[in-house]
Amino acid sequence: YKLGVMVETPRAALRAGEIAQHAAFLSFGTNDLTQMTYGLSRDDAGRFMNTYVRQGVFPEDPFHILDVDGVGELLHIGAERGRKTRKDLTLSICGEHGGNPESIDFCRRAGFDYVSCSPYRVPVARLAAGQAAIRARRLLTSTSGPAIPRRFARPSRMRKQENTQISVGDCSGLITSATVVIARTQNAHL
C-alpha cells in the first residue's frame, strides 16, 4: 500500500515539504483549495459568479477554470516543496478542474503526474491530456518553437512522454471519478 495525502488548504500546500516526508503522493483538492483561497463557498458563488465574470471582476469562474495566478501558484509551491523533500513524489489534482483542458495543460506543464475528475468529464479530459502531450513533444523537439517558461518547466524525470491512459477510481477508493494520466515515466507503476 502507498500512503498519500489530500492537500485541500493553502496551509497544507505551503507545508507540502513536511507532508511529503510521510506520503508517497499528494493530491491537491482544487475545489476546496479554490474555496479557501478565495474565501468563497462554491455553492454560494454560483449565485453571483456569472455576474462577476460578465462585469470583469473575475476573468473566468475560478471554480470552473483553475486560477493559475492564485491557486496555481499554491500548486507550484506545494509541488516544488514536496519534490524537494521526496524526489519520487507523485503529484495530482482532484476536482472539477481535472476535467478542464486549460487546467490539464497547466498541470502537465507544472510536472503533475495525473488529474482526477468526475466521469462525465472524462472524454474531454482524455482528449485534452493527449493534446497537451502532443504539444509538449513538439516543444521539446522543436528548435524554433517558443521556450517553455521556467516556472512551467517539467522536471527531468518527466521528459519522456508515453501514451495517455485512463483508469477509474478516486482517492477514497470509491468508483466515483476518473483519473486521467497526463504524464508517464519509464519507471512509473500507474
Side-chain angles (χ1 to χ4, degrees):
Y1 293 98
K2 290 185 177 184
L3 175 67
V5 175
M6 285 292 298
V7 177
E8 297 181 307
T9 65
R11 186 175 196 284
L14 295 172
R15 309 306 290 183
E18 293 173 42
I19 295 169
Q21 294 175 27
H22 311 285
F25 65 88
L26 297 179
S27 182
F28 292 82
T30 57
N31 294 341
D32 289 336
L33 201 50
T34 299
Q35 288 185 116
M36 297 190 89
T37 300
Y38 276 82
L40 296 172
S41 161
R42 185 169 60 159
D43 296 331
D44 293 340
R47 290 181 253 168
F48 59 82
M49 190 56 72
N50 286 338
T51 303
Y52 279 16
V53 170
R54 276 195 312 272
Q55 293 177 354
V57 175
F58 293 109
E60 298 285 344
D61 183 339
F63 294 104
H64 295 159
I65 297 177
L66 186 69
D67 165 31
V68 296
D69 294 326
V71 177
E73 188 67 24
L74 286 170
L75 295 175
H76 275 291
I77 291 168
E80 180 181 307
R81 291 179 182 177
R83 285 218 169 121
K84 185 176 181 182
T85 299
R86 188 174 182 143
K87 303 287 186 235
D88 64 339
L89 185 68
T90 298
L91 299 171
S92 68
I93 65 167
C94 179
E96 290 308 303
H97 297 101
N100 173 268
E102 291 89 355
S103 303
I104 291 169
D105 191 51
F106 169 86
C107 289
R108 175 155 181 75
R109 289 180 289 130
F112 279 63
D113 299 293
Y114 66 91
V115 298
S116 180
C117 63
S118 53
Y120 76 92
R121 298 187 79 153
V122 169
V124 171
R126 192 169 189 191
L127 178 62
Q131 290 171 336
I134 290 168
R135 278 192 303 276
R137 183 175 294 149
R138 285 182 183 159
L139 281 175
L140 290 174
T141 59
S142 172
T143 57
S144 62
I148 300 172
R150 182 165 176 77
R151 74 183 252 185
F152 294 129
R154 296 176 53 72
S156 59
R157 74 180 196 93
M158 302 301 291
R159 294 256 182 228
K160 298 215 179 202
Q161 171 62 34
E162 295 178 16
N163 60 335
T164 57
Q165 289 190 355
I166 189 164
S167 61
V168 177
D170 72 358
C171 298
S172 66
L174 301 174
I175 300 176
T176 58
S177 69
T179 300
V180 178
V181 177
I182 57 173
R184 275 186 74 186
T185 62
Q186 292 177 333
N187 300 326
H189 302 286
L190 303 174

